């Protein structure tokens, strides 16, 4: 997914001279072809995230379109004030490419786990928050970022992720994709949790519980109509996120229901990471399982709720 | 090293305060007009920067109040955004907006807030106020100018307390790496931050050699000496292929004798009519 993303940045730069790339201290070989062919527009400025964002803002104020890339935790937490003031307040078209969203860096521990990135980015006015589910979707998403007027955050998954997206669905920033039509249940996922949601939906269908999957690749602005238009048909709405339950997709959907469909609030089940730092290492999949976010676990938790034996619905 | 030692001696020159001329006093009265309009303001921080901004806008920078986004203009960033009354005074004086706007400083429907807002104020390039942002934004602008082969220059004024921020030094490294001789950072070195003297809160010395070691060509100057500032800026770039640092030795609250060097005047609010009168009398005609 990262390679696809950066390949598109290279292609965009080839055809649009406003595009510049700014990295921190990325892996050897990153975008070598970009550097070799367009050295003036390739910047690798060291481990200085505040400076990267400020510099990108300066370039954007002068008409350039910077794509900034580093690890998700550092491009969010370390330079949050620059994101808020330099990018969002000025509404500048700077694109943040965040390596290792969610639990990708499981073996590296909590310093590297971006599990509150969506919450803090979502809180910033004018910020678009994106989490594609696989590399094919990434390839459809990235060209659209060029024309996006304001800042955006692109959360990258681990790479080698299962392909669940389909070109036939198209792709538009801000428009959720119904990967599977809703039945009694609708799961709303984002990033790779849409994949886990698909696994769960398939298992539930085999057990006679029809379950849809809405892929919310854009967490902000939230595609409110995509959710509200389904509420009459489903008994249970479930959000699944590779993110803390504080402030992410589940919170966004919860806020929507409270504001615009308060009678449906009781039908929302939010699945995600508890309000805590990870105390285990291992792999992304192991941590997803630890937090009950793999397909079979999602299916079980939904069954339990439908059977009245599960966790409390909101 | 001999050269550096000489520069350090220069840096520690005790600058005898010069009398302020009429223009400097007029600009200070505009600052007070804003202070009265808003009932508050960072007076000391504005008054130390008056001559720096005056010389830049009067004598150094290419700019046009009629076409404030003229592409070939030199760019100016007041990174110490809290000193905005100084910038508002000089911008109003040059006609970027009516001086009457100063009467609405910090008011609900005014355009002049307690920190400069690029979205509202003609002539303000970027919104500042959170400290340590201007240098990196300026570096990005300077890189953009180099990419375009454009000859305009970028001027960034920071406070001295402001350069406690690590982001300033991140920007400094990048400015040096890219040989941004179109980038000039001016430290308004009034040696007094909000709480106390800089040497007590976070000593910046040896400041000249700090900037030198980050790759800057450095000049020290009396930040209230109009002629000295003109002479200094006239020699930009100080060295081909190196970013420029001007350490402007200033006095916080300069021009209001009873406020000079007193941290209590960093920010003032709820001033009585008598206090305002005292300030205006201290500035003089």
């Amino acid at each position: 997914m990262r390679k696809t993303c950066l390949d598109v940045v290279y292609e965009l730069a080839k055809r649009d001279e406003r595009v510049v790339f700014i990295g921190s201290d990325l892996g050897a070989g990153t975008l070598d072809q970009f550097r070799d062919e367009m050295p003036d527009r390739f910047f690798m400025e060291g481990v200085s995230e505040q400076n990267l964002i400020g510099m990108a803002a300066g370039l954007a104020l002068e008409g350039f379109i910077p794509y900034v890339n580093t690890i998700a935790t550092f491009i969010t937490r370390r330079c949050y004030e620059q994101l808020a003031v330099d990018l969002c307040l000025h509404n500048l078209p700077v694109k943040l490419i965040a390596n290792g969203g969610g639990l990708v860096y499981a073996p590296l521990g909590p310093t590297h786990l971006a599990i509150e990135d969506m919450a803090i980015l979502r809180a910033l006015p004018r910020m678009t928050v994106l989490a594609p589910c696989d590399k094919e979707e990434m390839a459809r998403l990235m060209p659209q970022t060029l024309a996006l007027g304001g800042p955006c955050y692109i959360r990258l998954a681990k790479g080698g992720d299962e392909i669940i997206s389909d070109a036939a669905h198209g792709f538009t920033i801000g428009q959720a994709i119904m990967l599977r039509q809703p039945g009694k249940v609708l799961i709303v996922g984002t990033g790779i949790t849409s994949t886990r949601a698909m696994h769960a939906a398939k298992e539930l269908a085999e057990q006679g519980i029809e379950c849809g999957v809405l892929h919310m690749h854009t967490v902000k602005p939230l595609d409110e109509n995509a959710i509200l238009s389904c509420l009459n048909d489903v008994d249970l709405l479930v959000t699944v996120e590779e993110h803390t339950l504080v402030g992410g997709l589940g919170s966004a959907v919860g806020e929507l229901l409270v504001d615009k469909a308060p009678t449906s609030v009781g039908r929302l089940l939010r699945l995600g990471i508890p309000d805590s730092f990870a105390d285990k290492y291992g792999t992304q999949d192991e941590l997803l399982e630890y937090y009950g976010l793999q397909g079979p676990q999602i299916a079980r938790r939904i069954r339990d709720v439908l059977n009245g034996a599960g966790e409390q619905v909101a | 090293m001999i050269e550096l030692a000489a520069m350090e001696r220069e840096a520690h020159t005790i600058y005898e305060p010069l009398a302020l001329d009429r223009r400097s006093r007029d600009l200070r009265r505009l600052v007070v007009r804003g202070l009265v309009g808003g009932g508050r303001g960072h007076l000391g921080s504005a008054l130390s920067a008056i001559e720096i901004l005056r010389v830049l806008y009067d004598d150094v920078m290419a700019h046009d109040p009629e076409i404030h986004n003229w592409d070939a203009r030199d760019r100016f960033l007041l990174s110490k955004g809290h000193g905005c009354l100084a910038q508002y005074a000089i911008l109003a004086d040059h006609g970027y907006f009516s001086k009457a706007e100063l009467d609405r400083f910090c008011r609900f429907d005014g355009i002049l807030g307690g920190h400069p807002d690029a979205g509202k104020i003609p002539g303000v390039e970027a919104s500042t106020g959170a400290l340590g942002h201007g240098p990196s934004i300026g570096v990005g602008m300077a890189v953009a100018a180099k990419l375009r082969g454009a000859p305009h220059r970028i001027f960034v004024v920071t406070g001295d307390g402001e350069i406690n921020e690590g982001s300033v030094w991140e920007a400094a490294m990048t400015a040096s790496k890219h040989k941004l001789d179109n980038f000039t950072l001016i430290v308004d070195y009034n040696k007094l931050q909000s709480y106390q003297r800089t040497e007590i809160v976070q000593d910046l010395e040896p400041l000249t050699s700090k900037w030198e070691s980050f790759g800057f060509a450095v000049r020290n100057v009396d930040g209230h000496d109009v002629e000295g500032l003109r002479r200094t800026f006239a020699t930009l770039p100080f060295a081909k292929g190196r970013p420029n640092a001007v350490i402007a030795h200033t006095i916080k609250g300069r021009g209001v004798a009873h406020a000079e060097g007193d941290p209590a005047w960093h920010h003032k609010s709820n001033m009585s009519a008598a206090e305002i009168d005292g300030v205006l009398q201290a500035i003089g005609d």
Side-chain angles (χ1 to χ4, degrees), chain A:
Chain A
M1 183 183 273
R2 178 166 60 189
K3 183 175 183 314
T4 303
C5 177
L6 296 182
D7 284 350
V8 179
V9 174
Y10 165 82
E11 294 296 335
L12 294 172
K14 288 290 276 186
R15 68 170 200 249
D16 191 326
E17 291 195 340
R18 297 172 301 167
V19 172
V20 298
F21 178 80
I22 305 175
S24 57
D25 183 26
L26 301 173
T30 302
L31 279 178
D32 275 354
Q33 193 177 1
F34 188 129
R35 182 198 61 203
D36 293 345
E37 295 176 19
M38 297 168 280
D40 289 351
R41 288 188 281 139
F42 178 89
F43 300 91
M44 194 65 73
E45 298 306 314
V47 190
S48 59
E49 293 80 8
Q50 299 177 69
N51 181 48
L52 301 189
I53 301 303
M55 183 181 171
L59 279 154
L61 282 166
E62 295 294 334
F64 288 91
I65 301 178
Y67 285 77
V68 185
N69 180 209
T70 188
I71 289 173
T73 46
F74 309 145
I75 208 170
T76 53
R77 296 171 180 164
R78 188 54 173 258
C79 48
Y80 190 64
E81 188 177 83
Q82 279 76 11
L83 301 183
V85 176
D86 299 356
L87 303 190
C88 293
L89 180 59
H90 294 83
N91 199 25
L92 295 176
V94 175
K95 329 296 175 185
L96 309 168
I97 301 172
N99 296 352
L103 301 167
V104 167
Y105 289 127
L108 304 184
T111 57
H112 282 57
L113 297 184
I115 58 168
E116 80 297 300
D117 54 337
M118 293 191 170
I120 61 176
L121 275 278
R122 203 168 72 80
L124 297 175
R126 298 174 177 153
M127 180 66 78
T128 295
V129 179
L130 301 161
C133 59
D134 59 41
K135 68 178 184 181
E136 292 186 7
E137 184 169 74
M138 178 64 85
R140 289 188 283 277
L141 176 160
M142 284 301 290
Q144 293 188 19
T145 60
L146 190 65
L148 206 58
C152 73
Y153 175 74
I154 305 156
R155 190 195 223 210
L156 300 190
K158 185 169 184 292
D161 310 278
E162 180 184 343
I163 306 294
I164 59 160
S165 71
D166 184 346
H169 287 128
F171 188 94
T172 304
I173 289 173
Q175 290 182 16
I177 295 171
M178 194 64 79
L179 291 171
R180 187 181 171 108
Q181 288 304 311
K184 194 174 178 182
V185 179
L186 177 65
I187 310 177
V188 185
T190 186
I192 56 95
T193 60
S194 291
T195 313
R196 274 61 180 179
M198 288 293 279
H199 298 163
K202 185 164 177 245
E203 180 180 322
L204 289 169
E206 287 165 358
Q207 296 158 356
I209 304 168
E210 285 306 318
C211 173
V213 175
L214 182 67
H215 173 45
M216 195 65 71
H217 51 69
T218 308
V219 173
K220 187 184 179 184
L222 192 73
D223 187 348
E224 299 184 349
N225 285 336
I227 293 170
L228 295 175
S229 63
C230 295
L231 289 179
N232 286 340
D233 303 322
V234 302
D235 293 340
L236 182 64
L237 186 64
V238 185
T239 57
V240 187
E241 58 194 315
E242 189 188 14
H243 187 278
T244 157
L245 284 166
V246 179
L249 174 68
S251 297
V253 173
E255 290 159 14
L256 172 68
L257 297 189
V258 168
D259 290 345
K260 298 192 178 169
T263 57
S264 296
V265 170
R267 291 187 281 149
L268 175 63
L269 171 66
R270 300 188 308 128
L271 304 180
I273 298 168
D275 182 19
S276 62
F277 290 104
D279 57 355
K280 303 288 183 188
Y281 300 100
T283 65
Q284 179 190 28
D285 273 325
E286 283 178 305
L287 283 187
L288 283 170
E289 182 158 0
Y290 182 59
Y291 292 124
L293 300 172
Q294 294 287 28
Q297 297 170 297
I298 296 167
R300 177 184 53 74
R301 294 170 81 174
I302 290 171
R303 274 196 313 272
D304 287 349
V305 169
L306 292 175
N307 293 335
E311 45 213 299
Q312 285 286 317
V313 176

Side-chain angles (χ1 to χ4, degrees), chain B residues 210-239:
Chain B
K210 268 197 183 70
W211 287 108
E212 273 280 328
S213 69
F214 275 77
F216 281 60
V218 189
R219 297 289 182 274
N220 282 269
V221 62
D222 176 348
H224 299 299
D225 175 5
V226 170
E227 280 305 321
L229 285 162
R230 285 178 183 144
R231 281 197 303 276
T232 300
F233 289 126
T235 60
L236 283 170
F238 302 143

Side-chain angles (χ1 to χ4, degrees), chain B residues 62-75:
Chain B
H63 68 110
D64 184 349
E66 299 294 317
I67 317 168
H68 61 85
N69 57 355
W70 171 43
D71 200 40
R73 73 194 183 282
D74 289 324
R75 273 62 163 169

Side-chain angles (χ1 to χ4, degrees), chain B residues 112-251:
Chain B
L112 306 178
H115 295 93
D117 187 329
K120 292 186 173 143
I121 310 171
V124 170
E125 301 279 354
S127 301
T128 52
L131 295 176
H133 290 227
S136 290
I137 295 173
V139 162
M141 290 176 154
V143 167
K146 293 273 185 190
L147 276 174
R148 293 226 168 90
H152 65 259
R153 301 168 297 175
I154 288 80
F155 295 88
V156 178
V157 171
T158 72
D160 46 17
E162 178 178 11
I163 64 175
N164 297 168
E165 291 281 6
S167 57
V168 170
W169 303 99
E170 295 179 5
M173 286 191 281
T174 297
S176 181
K177 171 187 169 184
H178 292 288
K179 306 184 188 325
L180 300 178
D181 53 11
N182 57 350
F183 175 83
T184 300
L185 187 144
I186 301 137
V187 182
D188 178 3
Y189 196 14
N190 59 38
K191 302 171 188 70
L192 197 60
Q193 48 198 115
S194 178
Y195 175 69
Q196 249 300 353
R197 295 200 308 278
T198 52
E199 66 181 339
I200 291 171
V201 178
Q202 184 62 275
D203 195 3
L204 302 171
E205 294 297 338
L207 190 55
T208 298
S209 50
K210 268 197 183 70
W211 287 108
E212 273 280 328
S213 69
F214 275 77
F216 281 60
V218 189
R219 297 289 182 274
N220 282 269
V221 62
D222 176 348
H224 299 299
D225 175 5
V226 170
E227 280 305 321
L229 285 162
R230 285 178 183 144
R231 281 197 303 276
T232 300
F233 289 126
T235 60
L236 283 170
F238 302 143
K240 187 167 172 51
R242 293 172 71 187
N244 314 283
V246 174
I247 301 173
H249 295 262
T250 56
I251 297 168

